[in-house]
Amino acid sequence: MLKQIEGSRAVAETVAACSPQVICAYPISPQTHIVEALDEFVREGMLSCEFINVESEFSAMSVAIGSSAAGSRVYTATASQGLLFMVEPVYNASGLGLPIVMTVANRAIGSPINIWNDQSDSMSQRDSGWIQLYAQDNQSAADLHILAFRLAEELSLPVMVCMDGFILTHAMEEIEVASSDEVAKFLPPFVPRQSLDVNDPVSIGAMVGPEAFTEVKYLGHFKQIKALEVIPELSKDFQKVFGRAAAGDHDFNGLLTEYLIDDAEIILVALGSIIGTIKDVIDQERANGIKVGVLGITSFRPFPSDEVRKRLKHGQKIVVVERAFAPGIGGIVSSNIRTALGGIEIDIRTVVAGLGGRPVTTNTIKDIIGKALYGALPEFSFSDLNVELVEREVERNLASRRSGPMAENLLKDLGGAR
């Protein structure tokens, strides 16, 4: 049904249509609206489900693990520091091969404290063994959850659906929200590959020593690589049932999206909602005769290296626009792009933009494209960086051993702290 609806509410209604049997949740902005709505559905009898309020994110994932091991279809959601707090059981969930689905409403991680959007939280867990799917708008955010449950249960592997906090979670859009009957045509009843049964006792989570640990880890990697085959298959099924692509317009088998890259001289690569802004700028730049396109990464884990290579190998200039980075080395997504393009001589540049909720405007994207066009874009850079502010703090550090707290100094320089 087409609705004018908040992104969080659309995700909640979609998750409910997937008939989870256990939902365990702890509120943290900007995902709170999702689990609040699901709690409402359970209390009002619209969803038959065990909704468990827990005392922390660590407990939320722990309950998810126990419930999944008992054979239930399980859902949870988190963001930012909440994801960091549940890191130990996050790794346990994937190591145990449990098909849990979790929304990560992307938000910056501290310190300093910041509640606004970037993708540093989910990027910090890129090697946790979870599949990671990134939504570029609220339609894909809702639809990817349906795909995620089917994918998780096909492979017995947990899946994160990552959607930009506030930018998507709190935005009102027209969204086709799937009904339970529609979802049932795509998502069969849950039959777990493993579950606890008093009539057939088995251990889940046994200690594994050197004799088999490598093999267990290899099988987790094997299932991730297998997902590169399964995601396109499920995406085709999704399109048949719902009449649209799960990952959004210009979808390529649920792994990537692309827009005007066939003849592009400059190809931007990005994840998440920033792709919408990039597309708007591409339309404007194309009208001015500048051949630019964008490749959107939907499946970041597993990373579709072969498909990325096919689509970028003829590009003249590649610019990876990142909403997170690895301090001390640089780009996260771009390192994966470089690996995929190994052996091919292509100019690859990395730009970090939009950290901590800083707006990535059409002018920001135009500036990136312009610098790339004229060879003025460094190999690694920060867009819209206040160089004067940074230099002032560097000078302060050089001048005095007791230079004071960095974040507070910057705010004072900006006139924003007392």
Side-chain angles (χ1 to χ4, degrees):
M1 179 185 294
L2 186 63
K3 297 182 178 183
Q4 185 77 16
I5 190 171
E6 184 193 57
S8 292
R9 184 80 178 194
V11 167
E13 291 187 13
T14 302
V15 168
C18 293
S19 302
Q21 295 159 303
V22 176
I23 297 172
C24 36
Y26 188 82
I28 180 170
S29 293
Q31 64 85 11
T32 306
H33 289 184
I34 299 172
V35 294
E36 281 181 340
L38 287 164
D39 179 46
E40 172 193 326
F41 300 157
V42 173
R43 285 186 288 105
E44 294 183 357
M46 299 163 59
L47 173 62
S48 179
C49 174
E50 185 76 19
F51 190 99
I52 303 173
N53 288 299
V54 294
E55 75 277 8
S56 72
E57 291 87 356
F58 187 98
S59 297
M61 185 52 62
S62 298
V63 169
I65 287 171
S67 301
S68 185
S72 297
R73 178 175 284 167
V74 180
Y75 171 80
T76 188
T78 194
S80 187
Q81 311 294 129
L83 179 58
L84 298 191
F85 192 28
M86 64 166 65
V87 164
E88 182 181 342
V90 161
Y91 274 77
N92 289 342
S94 59
L96 295 172
L98 297 172
I100 299 163
V101 172
M102 175 168 65
T103 307
V104 176
N106 289 119
R107 184 188 121 184
I109 52 179
S111 175
I113 296 170
N114 181 292
I115 67 164
W116 292 274
N117 166 251
D118 63 31
Q119 294 169 344
S120 53
D121 49 3
S122 56
M123 283 291 165
S124 76
Q125 300 308 302
R126 62 191 179 274
D127 300 327
S128 65
W130 285 58
I131 290 172
Q132 288 192 356
L133 305 177
Y134 283 78
Q136 62 180 268
D137 55 32
N138 277 330
Q139 185 66 66
S140 63
D143 290 345
L144 284 173
H145 282 82
I146 305 171
L147 186 76
F149 277 105
R150 176 89 177 268
L151 178 62
E153 292 165 14
E154 288 274 342
L155 295 172
S156 200
L157 203 64
V159 180
M160 293 182 196
V161 179
C162 306
M163 60 186 298
D164 285 334
F166 299 109
I167 296 172
L168 295 183
T169 57
H170 289 54
M172 299 289 291
E173 292 183 48
E174 277 198 344
I175 303 171
E176 285 281 355
V177 180
S179 67
S180 297
D181 290 340
E182 289 174 314
V183 171
K185 296 175 183 176
F186 176 79
L187 180 64
F190 178 40
V191 179
R193 291 185 180 273
Q194 55 176 331
S195 63
L196 298 170
D197 184 348
V198 294
N199 296 316
D200 184 18
V202 65
S203 293
I204 296 179
M207 178 176 285
V208 177
E211 71 281 358
F213 192 76
T214 297
E215 287 72 21
V216 170
K217 289 296 183 180
Y218 169 81
L219 288 169
H221 172 69
F222 173 82
K223 288 198 284 186
Q224 285 263 346
I225 299 305
K226 182 67 176 175
L228 293 173
E229 300 174 12
V230 176
I231 291 171
E233 293 170 1
L234 297 185
S235 296
K236 290 176 185 176
D237 288 348
F238 186 96
Q239 192 144 14
K240 288 177 184 176
V241 172
F242 296 98
R244 61 180 180 271
D249 293 339
H250 312 288
D251 168 49
F252 185 76
N253 287 344
L255 300 172
L256 307 166
T257 61
E258 59 180 51
Y259 189 61
L260 300 179
I261 67 172
D262 288 344
D263 66 340
E265 296 172 1
I266 300 172
I267 301 176
L268 277 62
V269 180
L271 293 78
S273 61
I274 193 176
I275 293 170
T277 304
I278 292 173
K279 286 180 180 178
D280 289 342
V281 173
I282 286 172
D283 290 339
Q284 297 171 26
E285 297 289 55
R286 286 270 175 170
N288 295 326
I290 299 173
K291 294 181 178 180
V292 59
V294 62
L295 183 72
I297 308 294
T298 301
S299 173
F300 183 63
R301 287 291 183 271
F303 192 77
S305 296
D306 290 346
E307 300 302 335
V308 167
R309 188 180 180 90
K310 286 179 187 176
R311 278 152 184 76
L312 296 183
K313 66 181 180 180
H314 298 302
Q316 296 178 24
K317 296 182 180 180
I318 309 298
V319 180
V320 185
V321 184
E322 309 220 31
R323 303 293 302 279
F325 75 103
I329 184 65
I332 297 172
V333 180
S334 57
S335 67
N336 291 263
I337 298 295
R338 290 179 191 278
T339 299
L341 294 174
I344 300 175
E345 291 294 328
I346 298 180
D347 184 7
I348 302 174
R349 305 283 151 160
T350 303
V351 180
V352 178
L355 295 183
R358 180 167 292 184
V360 182
T361 66
T362 55
N363 285 336
T364 301
I365 302 301
K366 286 180 179 178
D367 181 62
I368 292 171
I369 293 171
K371 288 179 178 176
L373 188 64
Y374 294 105
L377 198 60
E379 185 174 340
F380 178 73
S381 62
F382 291 78
S383 181
D384 300 324
L385 182 71
N386 188 331
V387 176
E388 181 182 346
L389 190 66
V390 169
E391 288 179 346
R392 197 177 304 168
E393 178 61 13
V394 170
E395 290 172 3
R396 188 181 289 119
N397 274 263
L398 293 173
S400 172
R401 180 75 174 178
R402 294 179 58 81
S403 56
M406 179 173 60
E408 285 74 5
N409 286 342
L410 296 182
L411 291 175
K412 286 178 182 177
D413 288 342
L414 290 170
R418 297 290 182 269

